[in-house]
């Protein structure tokens, strides 16, 4: 018989091209990607041994009979193996991340194993093929099995891709579905024209694998830097933790990259990013580098010593202080570096990601160049923080925050004329939570704004309740965070809440701190003026703790200044501090403001603040913050 192997040789060239390209990529060694290489290898084997076997059978006078047997046998194994490899690749793609892919492969490899046994015993039973002493080739009665096995696996691949189509990315789905169909068609043609060997099928396999490969690469690569993307990074992290391999994760985050884009334009900004990426690839070797975010790169170092990590971080830090150049543009792009280690910092991917984000945020906060390591203890704090955020969100949604009230006594009448509303979370999965811990978190996340509206609403109801029984009650002080002043509709919302509650405006006093006043002078002053017109009063809280700008204090329509407890306590030990408290009280009085002293815990402190002529006293000596009913019982007294 005269065989035509030209197409087969072309297929081999195609495969060499794929091999050339695949060498360039750094695919994560996940099951799916390993099976992709398996597909490649099986196709390569099938084509290679097909060409060899055909050549040997065509020229028996130049071949050794035993070798022709061996080569042809390998070809008989490799051809159905292509179908099997493809089927396994489909399984790995469809069941990616589900953990049952290996089990499915184990069971579905049974037909392949039976066929393998058949190939191995073929030299004795000659059921598949036979080569006689003269080198002539004869098909055996079971030759169809070779194609049948290939068909079965291809059919199984189509079925799986079809049944599980919803779980698969649409493009991958198309490839999965079309490849086996084309391959089966090609083999049918080959059966009809036996002299043209499986070449067409092999070539199609090769072509489609190229497509599959490129697709795979496209899905896993960041187009700008050519680095594996965040998804690939997460998969790699998953793989590393599953295999319990020690590694260190370094994330380099560019500070204020927006400035670079704004200054040089998006296009040049991209080129700066590419420059940095190129440097990092070189510096990262032999470790893997990923584009973690828009202006963030992740370096995954496996099994590296502390010393090596230190060296890497030092060299990164040093380079990031030097300028980068793109054409005639040159600029320094400072970076913050976060580090976590597996398993020292955390043992699961989610915690590692939380840890690295925290480390990067801390490094960014610290302003100076250098790296920030997030250890186990810190991670505990991160976890607690995210638990607190959940608690805050739940309480906000259910409107279940507790508002406690601390009665404040008038130094002139000896009566509890006002109170301060103070947030509490007495019951939470973490036990009771105190404002010193959860208020900063509520501020960072912006949740504080809606919480404050709820507190104001509850406070208004509380004022109404007391006012019914105690007409002398002058009202409640409500704490406002700086975040409130970034709300354009703040004044409308506040007015709306007070009006709808039917509470007199003059029974609400809003406490703001010095830092709020300094950071938002214009907004605060506009808000204060509008509130003043309505009758709502403003108070400066924690006076003496910050960097008071006396001009702001003087120009703001403030009703009361609350001297911080540290000021009162210091006055007990130092004559100078005592003199200062006395003087500032006098000054504020002269400016027409009331003065309130907080943190009064002892009789000595009480005597002192009374002598200073302070108007209102808040402190544990008189009353602690208490739940609504208790505060009501306390304040209802005339
Ligand atoms: P702040 O506004 O300065 O509130 C006064 C804090 O001093 C309260 O602590 C109060 O319990 C405490 N205090 C009162 N008398 C004494 C005393 O004699 N000795 C001592 N050592 N402490 C005393 P609390 O309730 O833990 O609140 C802490 C801070 O949390 C508040 O400081 C305030 O800045 C913030 N905060 C509380 N509730 C709210 C709220 O509803 N909204 C906002 N934005 N912040 C709140
Ligand atoms: Mg306060
Ligand atoms: Mg205070």
């Amino acid at each position: 018989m005269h065989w035509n192997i030209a197409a087969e040789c072309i297929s081999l060239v195609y495969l060499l091209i794929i091999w050339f390209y695949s060498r360039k990529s750094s695919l994560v060694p996940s099951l799916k990607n390993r099976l992709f290489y398996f597909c490649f290898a099986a196709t390569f084997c099938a084509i290679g041994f097909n060409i060899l076997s055909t050549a040997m059978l065509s020229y028996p006078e130049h071949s050794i009979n035993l070798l022709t047997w061996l080569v042809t046998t390998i070809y008989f194994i490799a051809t159905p193996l292509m179908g099997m490899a493809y089927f396994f690749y489909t399984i790995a793609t469809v069941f990616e991340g589900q953990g049952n892919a290996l089990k499915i492969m184990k069971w579905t490899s049974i037909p392949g194993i039976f066929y393998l046994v058949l190939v191995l015993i073929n030299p004795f039973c000659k059921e598949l093929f036979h080569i006689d002493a003269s080198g002539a080739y004869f098909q055996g009665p079971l030759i169809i099995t070779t194609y049948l096995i290939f068909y079965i696996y291809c059919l199984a691949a189509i079925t799986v891709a079809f049944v599980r189509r919803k779980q698969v990315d649409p493009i991958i789905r198309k490839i999965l579905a079309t490849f086996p169909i084309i391959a089966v068609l090609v083999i049918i043609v080959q059966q009809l024209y036996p002299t043209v060997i499986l070449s067409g099928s092999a070539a199609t396999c090769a072509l489609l694998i190229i497509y599959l490969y490129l697709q795979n690469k496209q899905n896993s690569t960041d187009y700008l830097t050519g680095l594996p993307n965040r998804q690939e990074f997460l998969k790699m992290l998953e793989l590393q933790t599953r295999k319990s391999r020690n590694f260190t994760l370094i994330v380099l985050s560019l500070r204020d990259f927006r400035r670079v884009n704004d200054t040089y334009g998006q296009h040049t900004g991209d080129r700066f990013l590419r420059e940095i990426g190129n440097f990092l690839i070189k510096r990262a070797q032999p470790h893997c580098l990923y584009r973690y975010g828009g202006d963030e790169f992740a370096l995954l170092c496996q099994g590296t010593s502390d010393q090596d990590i230190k060296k890497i971080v030092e060299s990164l830090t040093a380079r990031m202080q030097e300028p980068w150049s793109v054409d005639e543009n040159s600029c320094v792009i400072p970076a913050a570096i976060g580090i976590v280690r597996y398993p020292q910092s955390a043992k699961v991917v989610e915690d590692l990601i939380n840890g690295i984000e925290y480390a990067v945020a801390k490094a960014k906060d610290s302003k100076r160049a250098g790296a920030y390591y997030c250890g186990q203890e810190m991670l505990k704090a991160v976890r607690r923080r995210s638990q607190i955020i959940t608690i805050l969100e739940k309480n906000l949604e259910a409107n279940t925050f507790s508002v406690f009230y601390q009665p404040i006594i008038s130094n002139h009448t000896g009566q509890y004329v006002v109170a301060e509303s103070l947030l509490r979370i007495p019951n939470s999965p973490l036990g009771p939570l105190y404002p010193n811990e959860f208020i900063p978190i509520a501020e960072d996340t912006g949740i504080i704004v809606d919480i404050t509206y709820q507190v104001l609403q509850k406070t208004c109801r509380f004022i109404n309740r007391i006012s019914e029984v105690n007409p002398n009650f002058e009202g409640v002080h409500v704490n406002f965070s700086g975040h409130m002043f970034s709300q354009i509709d703040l004044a409308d919302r506040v007015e709306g809440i007070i009006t709808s509650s039917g509470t007199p405006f003059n029974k609400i006093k809003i406490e703001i701190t010095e830092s709020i006043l300094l950071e938002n002078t214009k907004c605060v002053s506009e808000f204060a003026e509008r509130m003043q017109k309505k009758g709502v009063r403003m108070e400066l809280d924690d006076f003496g703790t910050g960097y008071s700008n006396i001009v702001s204090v003087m120009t703001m329509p403030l009703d009361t200044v609350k001297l911080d407890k540290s000021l009162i306590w210091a006055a007990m030990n130092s004559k100078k501090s005592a003199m200062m408290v006395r003087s500032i009280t006098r000054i504020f009085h002269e400016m027409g403001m009331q003065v309130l002293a907080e943190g009064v815990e002892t009789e000595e402190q009480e005597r002192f603040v009374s002598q200073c002529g302070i108007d209102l006293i808040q402190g544990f000596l008189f009353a602690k913050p208490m739940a609504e009913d208790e505060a009501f019982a306390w304040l209802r007294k005339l």
Side-chain angles (χ1 to χ4, degrees):
M1 224 193 292
H2 245 61
W3 283 300
N4 181 347
I5 57 166
E8 203 76 338
C9 292
I10 294 171
S11 304
L12 205 65
V13 173
Y14 281 141
L15 278 176
L16 285 171
I17 295 171
I18 308 174
W19 174 74
F20 177 76
Y21 274 103
S22 65
R23 241 174 21 110
K24 279 184 159 185
S25 76
S26 61
L27 290 181
V28 173
S30 63
L31 184 64
K32 188 179 101 182
N33 289 339
R34 274 183 289 148
L35 280 169
F36 167 67
Y37 288 118
F38 181 40
C39 287
F40 174 79
T43 315
F44 199 92
C45 267
I47 298 177
F49 281 94
N50 196 6
I51 294 172
L52 239 126
S53 152
T54 314
M56 288 168 114
L57 288 170
S58 303
Y59 304 98
E61 65 281 14
H62 299 300
S63 340
I64 303 163
N65 192 285
L66 198 67
L67 213 62
T68 314
W69 262 100
L70 186 70
V71 168
T72 313
T73 302
I74 297 177
Y75 158 70
F76 266 82
I77 296 173
T79 302
L81 201 70
M82 271 194 306
M84 195 174 178
Y86 184 78
F87 170 72
F88 283 179
Y89 182 79
T90 310
I91 294 289
T93 308
V94 171
F95 293 92
E96 193 173 24
Q98 292 179 27
N100 47 357
L102 275 175
K103 211 164 135 196
I104 297 173
M105 285 179 208
K106 223 167 35 194
W107 285 107
T108 49
S109 61
I110 292 172
I113 293 168
F114 272 114
Y115 172 77
L116 185 70
V117 173
L118 186 65
V119 178
L120 292 179
I121 60 167
N122 180 60
F124 312 103
C125 62
K126 304 180 174 82
E127 292 293 334
L128 289 173
F129 68 92
H130 171 59
I131 301 167
D132 69 10
S134 68
Y137 170 84
F138 302 97
Q139 291 191 339
L142 292 184
I143 181 87
I144 189 74
T145 342
T146 308
Y147 304 109
L148 214 60
I149 289 286
F150 184 79
Y151 293 151
I152 289 174
Y153 278 117
C154 286
L155 209 72
I158 302 172
T159 315
V160 171
F162 179 75
V163 173
R164 294 291 194 126
R165 60 191 178 281
K166 290 211 173 90
Q167 276 104 315
V168 188
D169 179 79
I171 300 168
I172 297 279
R173 195 164 60 212
K174 268 187 212 150
I175 300 165
L176 290 180
T178 47
F179 170 60
I181 297 171
I182 296 171
V184 169
L185 284 177
V186 164
I187 293 185
I188 291 173
V189 171
Q190 208 250 282
Q191 288 242 293
L192 297 176
Y193 304 95
T195 51
V196 185
I197 332 164
L198 277 175
S199 53
S201 117
T204 317
C205 283
L207 267 172
L208 277 156
I209 290 172
I210 291 177
Y211 183 44
L212 249 171
Y213 167 70
L214 290 180
Q215 193 58 50
N216 199 341
K217 190 165 159 56
Q218 223 172 47
N219 288 346
S220 58
T221 309
D222 165 54
Y223 79 99
L224 183 72
T225 54
L227 292 170
N229 60 19
R230 188 186 173 100
Q231 265 172 325
E232 285 299 288
F233 165 73
L234 293 176
K235 275 188 219 157
M236 188 62 165
L237 218 57
E238 188 78 51
L239 202 77
Q240 295 295 319
T241 48
R242 218 181 310 136
K243 291 190 174 162
S244 303
R245 286 195 190 136
N246 286 13
F247 64 86
T248 303
L249 176 61
I250 302 172
V251 166
L252 183 138
S253 173
L254 305 176
R255 289 175 193 267
D256 205 11
F257 193 72
R258 180 196 288 259
R259 184 182 48 85
V260 178
N261 278 335
D262 290 346
T263 315
Y264 303 102
Q266 195 83 23
H267 180 66
T268 310
D270 284 354
R271 292 183 59 196
F272 272 115
L273 270 183
R274 235 175 278 144
E275 277 290 298
I276 297 172
N278 287 342
F279 158 75
L280 290 174
I281 292 176
K282 280 190 212 123
R283 186 62 200 84
Q285 266 162 9
H287 308 296
C288 296
L289 183 75
Y290 302 83
R291 184 152 182 221
Y292 181 69
D295 53 3
E296 289 181 325
F297 298 89
L299 183 59
L300 210 134
C301 310
Q302 289 177 33
T304 321
S305 71
D306 288 2
Q307 209 54 34
D308 289 339
I309 295 294
K310 203 170 155 227
K311 264 195 216 149
I312 294 176
V313 171
E314 274 171 5
S315 77
L316 294 184
T317 314
R319 179 62 189 91
M320 296 315 288
Q321 286 165 352
E322 302 287 319
W324 300 92
S325 296
V326 166
D327 298 336
E328 68 280 9
N329 305 312
S330 169
C331 75
V332 176
I333 307 172
I337 296 173
I339 305 170
V340 287
R341 308 196 77 171
Y342 175 86
Q344 294 91 331
S345 302
K347 292 193 175 63
V348 290
V349 172
E350 196 189 337
D351 286 348
L352 285 165
I353 296 291
N354 284 340
I356 199 72
E357 306 251 320
Y358 181 74
V360 168
K362 280 280 172 193
K364 276 193 169 163
D365 277 353
S366 83
K367 297 278 186 278
R368 60 180 180 84
Y372 200 92
Y373 170 67
C374 180
Q376 216 163 41
E377 279 308 306
M378 227 171 280
L379 208 75
K380 258 192 216 159
V382 176
R383 218 172 294 138
R384 184 173 169 90
R385 187 185 145 87
S386 70
Q387 284 168 323
I388 291 179
I389 294 175
T390 312
I391 293 170
L392 290 174
E393 285 167 346
K394 283 195 176 149
N395 273 292
L396 182 69
E397 203 187 316
N399 197 354
T400 45
F401 281 106
S402 294
V403 181
F404 275 43
Y405 299 90
Q406 185 176 25
I408 298 171
I409 196 164
S410 158
N411 191 24
H412 309 302
T413 63
Q415 279 189 336
Y416 292 98
V417 282
V418 282
E420 177 176 7
S421 62
L422 294 160
L423 257 175
R424 292 285 181 275
I425 304 178
N427 303 307
S428 84
L430 297 175
L433 294 175
Y434 294 95
N436 289 352
E437 183 178 17
F438 70 76
I439 294 280
I441 299 175
E443 285 177 341
D444 285 352
T445 50
I447 304 175
I448 191 70
V449 174
D450 289 327
I451 295 180
T452 307
Y453 292 137
Q454 287 188 358
V455 170
L456 184 63
Q457 226 160 26
K458 289 185 180 174
T459 302
C460 285
R461 283 204 292 268
F462 179 68
I463 295 172
N464 297 350
R465 209 176 145 199
I466 298 184
S467 300
E468 276 177 22
V469 289
N470 180 357
N472 293 342
F473 185 64
E474 291 176 16
V476 175
H477 299 194
V478 183
N479 291 287
F480 268 36
S481 291
H483 282 74
M484 301 305 291
F485 297 94
S486 56
Q487 308 296 305
I488 350 169
D489 59 347
L490 175 67
D492 294 335
R493 293 282 301 266
V494 171
E495 274 182 33
I497 292 170
I498 304 175
T499 311
S500 63
S501 315
T503 309
F505 280 92
N506 65 1
K507 292 212 167 168
I508 296 286
K509 203 183 273 186
I510 293 170
E511 289 193 8
I512 52 162
T513 60
E514 287 176 296
S515 53
I516 299 175
L517 190 58
L518 282 181
E519 283 157 24
N520 312 274
T521 313
K522 192 164 172 281
C523 302
V524 177
S525 112
E526 280 168 13
F527 173 77
E529 274 160 26
R530 199 167 143 188
M531 288 296 116
Q532 194 187 29
K533 281 188 196 133
K534 281 278 171 187
V536 174
R537 287 165 298 157
M538 302 288 291
E539 170 176 316
L540 189 65
D541 198 0
D542 298 346
F543 182 84
T545 50
Y547 24 92
S548 257
N549 179 337
I550 209 78
V551 181
S552 316
V553 178
M554 280 192 313
T555 51
M556 200 64 57
L558 291 169
D559 174 86
T560 310
V561 173
K562 188 190 278 194
L563 307 185
D564 190 69
K565 43 187 168 275
S566 58
L567 224 57
I568 310 298
W569 296 346
M572 297 298 102
N573 307 318
S574 136
K575 277 195 176 149
K576 272 191 188 162
S577 301
M579 246 166 67
M580 197 179 74
V581 171
R582 222 170 270 127
S583 308
I584 46 181
T585 305
R586 205 187 60 240
I587 294 171
F588 285 132
H589 277 162
E590 281 172 10
M591 286 165 66
M593 296 181 208
Q594 277 195 312
V595 181
L596 190 157
E598 70 165 13
V600 175
E601 294 181 346
T602 64
E603 283 174 3
E604 189 194 1
Q605 289 167 353
E606 191 249 332
R607 264 196 307 279
F608 167 71
V609 295
S610 297
Q611 280 164 12
C612 291
I614 277 170
D615 309 279
L616 297 160
I617 308 174
Q618 175 178 9
F620 294 169
L621 180 68
F622 297 98
K624 290 201 168 180
M626 44 192 108
E628 179 172 336
D629 286 343
E630 203 186 334
F632 176 74
W634 192 287
L635 292 164
R636 65 177 300 164
K637 295 172 225 153
L638 292 171

